[in-house]
Short mmCIF file of all heavy atoms in Angstrom, two decimals:
data_model
loop_
_atom_site.label_atom_id
_atom_site.label_comp_id
_atom_site.label_asym_id
_atom_site.label_seq_id
_atom_site.Cartn_x
_atom_site.Cartn_y
_atom_site.Cartn_z
N GLY A 1 -0.01 -1.96 3.45
CA GLY A 1 -0.43 -0.80 4.23
C GLY A 1 0.61 0.29 4.14
O GLY A 1 1.56 0.21 3.34
N ASP A 2 0.46 1.30 4.99
CA ASP A 2 1.33 2.48 4.90
C ASP A 2 2.80 2.16 5.14
O ASP A 2 3.67 2.68 4.42
CB ASP A 2 0.85 3.59 5.84
CG ASP A 2 0.81 3.19 7.31
OD1 ASP A 2 0.92 1.98 7.64
OD2 ASP A 2 0.64 4.10 8.15
N MET A 3 3.12 1.31 6.09
CA MET A 3 4.53 1.06 6.40
C MET A 3 5.25 0.35 5.24
O MET A 3 6.36 0.73 4.89
CB MET A 3 4.67 0.26 7.70
CG MET A 3 4.25 1.08 8.91
SD MET A 3 4.60 0.29 10.49
CE MET A 3 3.56 -1.16 10.42
N LEU A 4 4.61 -0.64 4.65
CA LEU A 4 5.25 -1.33 3.53
C LEU A 4 5.30 -0.42 2.29
O LEU A 4 6.28 -0.45 1.54
CB LEU A 4 4.53 -2.63 3.20
CG LEU A 4 4.59 -3.72 4.27
CD1 LEU A 4 3.93 -5.00 3.77
CD2 LEU A 4 6.01 -3.98 4.73
N ALA A 5 4.27 0.39 2.10
CA ALA A 5 4.28 1.32 0.97
C ALA A 5 5.39 2.36 1.14
O ALA A 5 6.09 2.69 0.17
CB ALA A 5 2.93 1.99 0.83
N GLU A 6 5.57 2.86 2.34
CA GLU A 6 6.66 3.81 2.60
C GLU A 6 8.01 3.17 2.33
O GLU A 6 8.92 3.79 1.77
CB GLU A 6 6.57 4.35 4.03
CG GLU A 6 5.41 5.32 4.21
CD GLU A 6 5.12 5.66 5.66
OE1 GLU A 6 5.71 5.04 6.58
OE2 GLU A 6 4.27 6.55 5.88
N GLN A 7 8.16 1.92 2.70
CA GLN A 7 9.41 1.21 2.44
C GLN A 7 9.62 1.02 0.93
O GLN A 7 10.73 1.14 0.43
CB GLN A 7 9.41 -0.15 3.15
CG GLN A 7 10.78 -0.79 3.18
CD GLN A 7 10.84 -1.94 4.15
OE1 GLN A 7 9.84 -2.57 4.49
NE2 GLN A 7 12.04 -2.25 4.59
N ALA A 8 8.55 0.76 0.21
CA ALA A 8 8.64 0.64 -1.26
C ALA A 8 9.13 1.95 -1.87
O ALA A 8 9.97 1.94 -2.78
CB ALA A 8 7.29 0.23 -1.84
N VAL A 9 8.63 3.06 -1.39
CA VAL A 9 9.08 4.37 -1.88
C VAL A 9 10.56 4.55 -1.59
O VAL A 9 11.34 4.93 -2.48
CB VAL A 9 8.26 5.51 -1.23
CG1 VAL A 9 8.88 6.87 -1.54
CG2 VAL A 9 6.81 5.47 -1.71
N GLU A 10 10.97 4.28 -0.37
CA GLU A 10 12.37 4.44 0.03
C GLU A 10 13.30 3.58 -0.81
O GLU A 10 14.45 3.95 -1.07
CB GLU A 10 12.55 4.06 1.52
CG GLU A 10 11.92 5.04 2.48
CD GLU A 10 11.89 4.51 3.91
OE1 GLU A 10 12.58 3.52 4.21
OE2 GLU A 10 11.14 5.10 4.72
N ASN A 11 12.82 2.43 -1.27
CA ASN A 11 13.66 1.50 -2.01
C ASN A 11 13.47 1.57 -3.53
O ASN A 11 13.95 0.71 -4.25
CB ASN A 11 13.46 0.08 -1.49
CG ASN A 11 14.06 -0.09 -0.12
OD1 ASN A 11 15.17 0.40 0.14
ND2 ASN A 11 13.35 -0.74 0.78
N GLY A 12 12.79 2.61 -4.00
CA GLY A 12 12.75 2.88 -5.42
C GLY A 12 11.78 2.09 -6.26
O GLY A 12 11.99 1.93 -7.47
N TRP A 13 10.70 1.60 -5.69
CA TRP A 13 9.67 0.92 -6.47
C TRP A 13 8.80 1.97 -7.16
O TRP A 13 8.47 3.00 -6.56
CB TRP A 13 8.80 0.04 -5.58
CG TRP A 13 9.54 -1.16 -5.07
CD1 TRP A 13 10.31 -1.23 -3.94
CD2 TRP A 13 9.60 -2.44 -5.67
NE1 TRP A 13 10.85 -2.48 -3.82
CE2 TRP A 13 10.43 -3.25 -4.86
CE3 TRP A 13 9.04 -3.00 -6.81
CZ2 TRP A 13 10.70 -4.58 -5.17
CZ3 TRP A 13 9.30 -4.32 -7.12
CH2 TRP A 13 10.12 -5.09 -6.30
N ALA A 14 8.38 1.72 -8.39
CA ALA A 14 7.49 2.64 -9.11
C ALA A 14 6.05 2.44 -8.70
O ALA A 14 5.27 3.40 -8.66
CB ALA A 14 7.62 2.45 -10.62
N GLY A 15 5.68 1.20 -8.40
CA GLY A 15 4.29 0.95 -8.05
C GLY A 15 4.05 -0.47 -7.60
O GLY A 15 4.94 -1.33 -7.68
N ILE A 16 2.83 -0.68 -7.11
CA ILE A 16 2.38 -1.99 -6.66
C ILE A 16 0.96 -2.20 -7.18
O ILE A 16 0.11 -1.32 -7.00
CB ILE A 16 2.41 -2.10 -5.13
CG1 ILE A 16 3.84 -1.92 -4.61
CG2 ILE A 16 1.82 -3.45 -4.67
CD1 ILE A 16 3.95 -1.80 -3.10
N VAL A 17 0.74 -3.32 -7.84
CA VAL A 17 -0.60 -3.71 -8.26
C VAL A 17 -0.98 -4.92 -7.41
O VAL A 17 -0.29 -5.94 -7.45
CB VAL A 17 -0.66 -4.03 -9.76
CG1 VAL A 17 -2.03 -4.60 -10.14
CG2 VAL A 17 -0.36 -2.77 -10.58
N MET A 18 -2.06 -4.77 -6.66
CA MET A 18 -2.47 -5.78 -5.69
C MET A 18 -3.80 -6.39 -6.08
O MET A 18 -4.84 -5.71 -6.04
CB MET A 18 -2.59 -5.12 -4.30
CG MET A 18 -2.96 -6.06 -3.19
SD MET A 18 -1.71 -7.29 -2.83
CE MET A 18 -0.37 -6.27 -2.24
N TYR A 19 -3.77 -7.66 -6.51
CA TYR A 19 -5.01 -8.38 -6.77
C TYR A 19 -5.52 -8.87 -5.42
O TYR A 19 -5.45 -10.04 -5.06
CB TYR A 19 -4.77 -9.53 -7.76
CG TYR A 19 -6.02 -10.25 -8.18
CD1 TYR A 19 -7.07 -9.57 -8.78
CD2 TYR A 19 -6.15 -11.61 -7.99
CE1 TYR A 19 -8.22 -10.24 -9.16
CE2 TYR A 19 -7.30 -12.29 -8.37
CZ TYR A 19 -8.34 -11.59 -8.95
OH TYR A 19 -9.48 -12.25 -9.33
N GLY A 20 -5.98 -7.91 -4.65
CA GLY A 20 -6.41 -8.07 -3.28
C GLY A 20 -6.64 -6.68 -2.72
O GLY A 20 -6.82 -5.72 -3.48
N CYS A 21 -6.58 -6.56 -1.41
CA CYS A 21 -6.89 -5.29 -0.75
C CYS A 21 -5.66 -4.62 -0.13
O CYS A 21 -4.65 -5.28 0.14
CB CYS A 21 -7.93 -5.52 0.35
SG CYS A 21 -9.54 -6.02 -0.30
N VAL A 22 -5.81 -3.32 0.11
CA VAL A 22 -4.81 -2.52 0.79
C VAL A 22 -5.50 -1.80 1.96
O VAL A 22 -6.73 -1.82 2.08
CB VAL A 22 -4.17 -1.48 -0.17
CG1 VAL A 22 -3.42 -2.19 -1.28
CG2 VAL A 22 -5.20 -0.52 -0.73
N ARG A 23 -4.71 -1.18 2.82
CA ARG A 23 -5.27 -0.40 3.92
C ARG A 23 -4.45 0.87 4.11
O ARG A 23 -3.50 1.10 3.37
CB ARG A 23 -5.33 -1.23 5.20
CG ARG A 23 -4.00 -1.58 5.82
CD ARG A 23 -4.22 -2.48 7.00
NE ARG A 23 -3.08 -2.47 7.91
CZ ARG A 23 -3.12 -2.89 9.16
NH1 ARG A 23 -4.26 -3.34 9.66
NH2 ARG A 23 -2.06 -2.86 9.91
N ASP A 24 -4.82 1.67 5.08
CA ASP A 24 -4.18 2.97 5.33
C ASP A 24 -4.25 3.83 4.07
O ASP A 24 -3.29 4.49 3.67
CB ASP A 24 -2.71 2.77 5.77
CG ASP A 24 -2.58 1.90 6.99
OD1 ASP A 24 -3.32 2.12 7.97
OD2 ASP A 24 -1.73 0.98 6.98
N VAL A 25 -5.42 3.82 3.44
CA VAL A 25 -5.55 4.44 2.13
C VAL A 25 -5.32 5.95 2.13
O VAL A 25 -4.86 6.50 1.13
CB VAL A 25 -6.90 4.10 1.47
CG1 VAL A 25 -7.00 2.59 1.23
CG2 VAL A 25 -8.08 4.59 2.29
N ASP A 26 -5.59 6.63 3.23
CA ASP A 26 -5.33 8.07 3.27
C ASP A 26 -3.84 8.37 3.19
O ASP A 26 -3.42 9.32 2.54
CB ASP A 26 -5.94 8.70 4.53
CG ASP A 26 -7.46 8.62 4.52
OD1 ASP A 26 -8.06 8.64 3.42
OD2 ASP A 26 -8.06 8.53 5.61
N VAL A 27 -3.03 7.52 3.82
CA VAL A 27 -1.58 7.68 3.73
C VAL A 27 -1.08 7.26 2.35
O VAL A 27 -0.24 7.95 1.75
CB VAL A 27 -0.85 6.88 4.84
CG1 VAL A 27 0.66 6.96 4.68
CG2 VAL A 27 -1.27 7.38 6.22
N LEU A 28 -1.58 6.15 1.84
CA LEU A 28 -1.15 5.70 0.51
C LEU A 28 -1.35 6.80 -0.53
O LEU A 28 -0.51 6.98 -1.41
CB LEU A 28 -1.93 4.45 0.07
CG LEU A 28 -1.72 3.17 0.88
CD1 LEU A 28 -2.54 2.04 0.26
CD2 LEU A 28 -0.27 2.79 1.00
N ALA A 29 -2.41 7.55 -0.42
CA ALA A 29 -2.72 8.60 -1.39
C ALA A 29 -1.72 9.75 -1.35
O ALA A 29 -1.65 10.54 -2.29
CB ALA A 29 -4.13 9.13 -1.15
N THR A 30 -0.92 9.84 -0.28
CA THR A 30 0.06 10.93 -0.17
C THR A 30 1.46 10.51 -0.63
O THR A 30 2.34 11.36 -0.72
CB THR A 30 0.17 11.43 1.28
OG1 THR A 30 0.77 10.41 2.09
CG2 THR A 30 -1.19 11.82 1.84
N LEU A 31 1.65 9.24 -0.90
CA LEU A 31 2.99 8.73 -1.21
C LEU A 31 3.29 8.79 -2.71
O LEU A 31 2.39 8.55 -3.53
CB LEU A 31 3.14 7.29 -0.72
CG LEU A 31 3.00 7.07 0.78
CD1 LEU A 31 3.05 5.58 1.10
CD2 LEU A 31 4.08 7.82 1.53
N PRO A 32 4.54 9.06 -3.09
CA PRO A 32 4.91 9.06 -4.51
C PRO A 32 5.11 7.63 -5.02
O PRO A 32 6.21 7.22 -5.39
CB PRO A 32 6.21 9.87 -4.52
CG PRO A 32 6.82 9.61 -3.18
CD PRO A 32 5.66 9.48 -2.23
N LEU A 33 4.02 6.88 -5.01
CA LEU A 33 4.02 5.47 -5.39
C LEU A 33 2.70 5.17 -6.07
O LEU A 33 1.64 5.59 -5.60
CB LEU A 33 4.15 4.60 -4.12
CG LEU A 33 4.19 3.09 -4.30
CD1 LEU A 33 5.50 2.65 -4.96
CD2 LEU A 33 4.01 2.40 -2.95
N GLY A 34 2.75 4.46 -7.18
CA GLY A 34 1.53 3.99 -7.80
C GLY A 34 1.03 2.78 -7.04
O GLY A 34 1.79 1.85 -6.77
N VAL A 35 -0.25 2.79 -6.65
CA VAL A 35 -0.84 1.64 -5.97
C VAL A 35 -2.24 1.43 -6.56
O VAL A 35 -3.09 2.32 -6.47
CB VAL A 35 -0.97 1.85 -4.45
CG1 VAL A 35 -1.66 0.65 -3.80
CG2 VAL A 35 0.39 2.10 -3.81
N GLN A 36 -2.44 0.27 -7.15
CA GLN A 36 -3.77 -0.10 -7.60
C GLN A 36 -4.13 -1.42 -6.94
O GLN A 36 -3.29 -2.31 -6.81
CB GLN A 36 -3.82 -0.20 -9.12
CG GLN A 36 -3.65 1.16 -9.78
CD GLN A 36 -4.44 1.32 -11.05
OE1 GLN A 36 -5.32 0.53 -11.37
NE2 GLN A 36 -4.13 2.37 -11.78
N ALA A 37 -5.39 -1.50 -6.49
CA ALA A 37 -5.86 -2.68 -5.78
C ALA A 37 -7.35 -2.85 -6.02
O ALA A 37 -8.01 -1.94 -6.56
CB ALA A 37 -5.57 -2.55 -4.28
N LEU A 38 -7.88 -3.98 -5.58
CA LEU A 38 -9.31 -4.25 -5.74
C LEU A 38 -10.16 -3.44 -4.78
O LEU A 38 -11.30 -3.12 -5.07
CB LEU A 38 -9.60 -5.74 -5.54
CG LEU A 38 -8.94 -6.69 -6.53
CD1 LEU A 38 -9.32 -8.13 -6.20
CD2 LEU A 38 -9.31 -6.34 -7.96
N GLY A 39 -9.62 -3.14 -3.60
CA GLY A 39 -10.37 -2.40 -2.60
C GLY A 39 -9.54 -2.20 -1.36
O GLY A 39 -8.34 -2.49 -1.33
N SER A 40 -10.19 -1.69 -0.32
CA SER A 40 -9.50 -1.49 0.95
C SER A 40 -10.15 -2.34 2.03
O SER A 40 -11.34 -2.68 1.94
CB SER A 40 -9.53 -0.01 1.35
OG SER A 40 -10.87 0.42 1.55
N HIS A 41 -9.34 -2.68 3.02
CA HIS A 41 -9.80 -3.50 4.14
C HIS A 41 -8.95 -3.12 5.35
O HIS A 41 -7.72 -3.05 5.23
CB HIS A 41 -9.64 -4.99 3.82
CG HIS A 41 -10.42 -5.87 4.73
ND1 HIS A 41 -10.11 -6.04 6.06
CD2 HIS A 41 -11.52 -6.63 4.51
CE1 HIS A 41 -10.97 -6.87 6.61
NE2 HIS A 41 -11.84 -7.24 5.69
N PRO A 42 -9.55 -2.91 6.52
CA PRO A 42 -8.76 -2.47 7.67
C PRO A 42 -7.92 -3.55 8.35
O PRO A 42 -6.96 -3.25 9.05
CB PRO A 42 -9.81 -1.93 8.64
CG PRO A 42 -11.07 -2.64 8.27
CD PRO A 42 -10.99 -2.88 6.79
N ARG A 43 -8.24 -4.82 8.13
CA ARG A 43 -7.54 -5.92 8.83
C ARG A 43 -6.23 -6.25 8.11
O ARG A 43 -6.19 -6.36 6.89
CB ARG A 43 -8.42 -7.16 8.88
CG ARG A 43 -7.74 -8.35 9.59
CD ARG A 43 -8.68 -9.49 9.85
NE ARG A 43 -9.58 -9.09 10.93
CZ ARG A 43 -10.90 -9.14 10.86
NH1 ARG A 43 -11.51 -9.58 9.79
NH2 ARG A 43 -11.64 -8.75 11.88
N LYS A 44 -5.14 -6.44 8.89
CA LYS A 44 -3.87 -6.85 8.31
C LYS A 44 -3.87 -8.34 8.00
O LYS A 44 -4.69 -9.10 8.52
CB LYS A 44 -2.71 -6.49 9.23
CG LYS A 44 -2.67 -7.27 10.53
CD LYS A 44 -1.50 -6.82 11.39
CE LYS A 44 -1.48 -7.60 12.70
NZ LYS A 44 -0.35 -7.20 13.54
N SER A 45 -2.93 -8.73 7.16
CA SER A 45 -2.83 -10.15 6.78
C SER A 45 -2.03 -10.92 7.82
O SER A 45 -1.45 -10.35 8.74
CB SER A 45 -2.13 -10.27 5.42
OG SER A 45 -0.74 -10.08 5.57
#
């Protein structure tokens, strides 16, 4: 989600490929991070 993605940006990750789902997609789209996933889901893990 957005908090972990923001942390990835802060720590210098280029991207995340998730064979699963992500959430907070409107925020993810604003971050300087590559994120590819199968889909979105609102429930956290």
Side-chain angles (χ1 to χ4, degrees):
D2 59 348
M3 292 188 296
L4 294 185
E6 288 168 352
Q7 193 167 24
V9 170
E10 290 169 15
N11 289 318
W13 290 87
I16 299 171
V17 173
M18 182 65 65
Y19 185 58
C21 293
V22 297
R23 68 185 201 163
D24 303 313
V25 297
D26 295 330
V27 176
L28 295 182
T30 68
L31 298 175
L33 181 70
V35 177
Q36 292 214 13
L38 298 180
S40 63
H41 196 291
R43 179 170 288 127
K44 67 181 179 179
S45 77

